[in-house]
Amino acid sequence: QILLYRRIRGLDDSTVRSAMVPELLRGLKDSQSKNGSFHSNGNELTSTALVVLAFLARGDMTWHTGEFGATCKKAFDYIVSCADTSGVTIRFKGEEQSPQAFFVTADAIVTEYGLTRASGLREIAEKCVARTMREVADIEAALVIEAKFDKPVAAAKLRWAVMTLHNAKVAGIAHDGLDSSLMDAKRILDTCGESDNGYYDVWKLYRRVWVEG
């Protein structure tokens, strides 16, 4: 998935891009499970959300149409099927598989809503944003107790939280305290420093694509 991002946005060689991107996307398409998920060491939720974001990052395709439209829709439908919105806080089946599972998934949902404005996604996107804000506040509270603050894990979460909150603003999802929560997430992230977690490569490129153009 990291290689896919680099091929899509990270290389200037147009020949490599045009030759490799479709091949890599088709490779992802062929590896999709019947239920729409993508498997990676038992971490289906995170992997599927990352693949959705990879297809979104292509930029030259219309979402849910074209060669990969059915693959994208099936993957996104899987993500939505994992959501439990019955409680005050939204949860996703399988989010316990990795610390950043919820955050990557929330970003995929908010980004999708921002692109399509699908009315059926509004509630779930809003709940993802609300939980992201609460998670940022919890991380900030943990920062006060230095001994209990795991910087690499916090950084992994916050990188995606920044994107989710930023994309929520772009998508017109209004929440009291959204701006301050985004500022807090960026500030705390600065205190965490970089992690050698593989997700960081994806996040750096993803941020450049969506935030910096």
Side-chain angles (χ1 to χ4, degrees), residues 93-152:
K93 180 182 178 181
E95 69 172 72
E96 71 283 352
Q97 295 168 347
S98 74
Q100 58 267 62
F102 162 74
F103 296 88
V104 180
T105 304
D107 193 33
I109 288 173
V110 172
T111 301
E112 159 73 348
Y113 174 74
L115 291 173
T116 65
R117 295 299 200 276
S119 58
L121 280 180
R122 178 79 188 195
E123 179 184 1
I124 189 172
E126 288 178 339
K127 288 194 172 187
C128 282
V129 173
R131 179 176 167 188
T132 300
M133 292 170 60
R134 286 194 293 272
E135 295 279 358
V136 170
D138 288 345
I139 292 172
E140 184 173 31
L143 179 60
V144 176
I145 309 174
E146 191 69 30
K148 294 184 178 182
F149 190 70
D150 189 328
K151 287 188 176 182

Side-chain angles (χ1 to χ4, degrees), residues 23 27 42-43 61 69 74-75 82 91 96 100 108 111 117 124 135 147 175 178 185 196:
E23 180 181 340
N43 197 347
M61 61 172 284
K74 194 174 180 181
C82 292
R91 301 286 178 187
E96 71 283 352
Q100 58 267 62
T111 301
R117 295 299 200 276
I124 189 172
E135 295 279 358
H175 267 289
L178 176 59
D196 58 2

Side-chain angles (χ1 to χ4, degrees), residues 2 18 43 58 68 105 123 128 142 150 158 177 188-189 212:
I2 293 171
S18 61
N43 197 347
R58 173 115 192 240
F68 306 109
T105 304
E123 179 184 1
C128 282
D150 189 328
L158 287 168
I188 302 167
L189 184 57
E212 300 167 12

Side-chain angles (χ1 to χ4, degrees), residues 4-45:
L4 176 64
Y5 268 78
R6 287 173 175 166
R7 289 290 185 264
I8 291 174
R9 298 292 188 180
L11 297 178
D12 294 328
D13 186 345
S14 60
T15 301
V16 173
R17 263 206 309 269
S18 61
M20 291 298 295
V21 170
E23 180 181 340
L24 289 165
L25 289 172
R26 290 182 189 113
L28 286 175
K29 177 181 176 181
D30 292 342
S31 68
Q32 189 173 34
S33 301
K34 289 183 178 180
N35 66 356
S37 68
F38 290 85
H39 293 264
S40 178
N41 298 322
N43 197 347
E44 289 83 6
L45 183 65

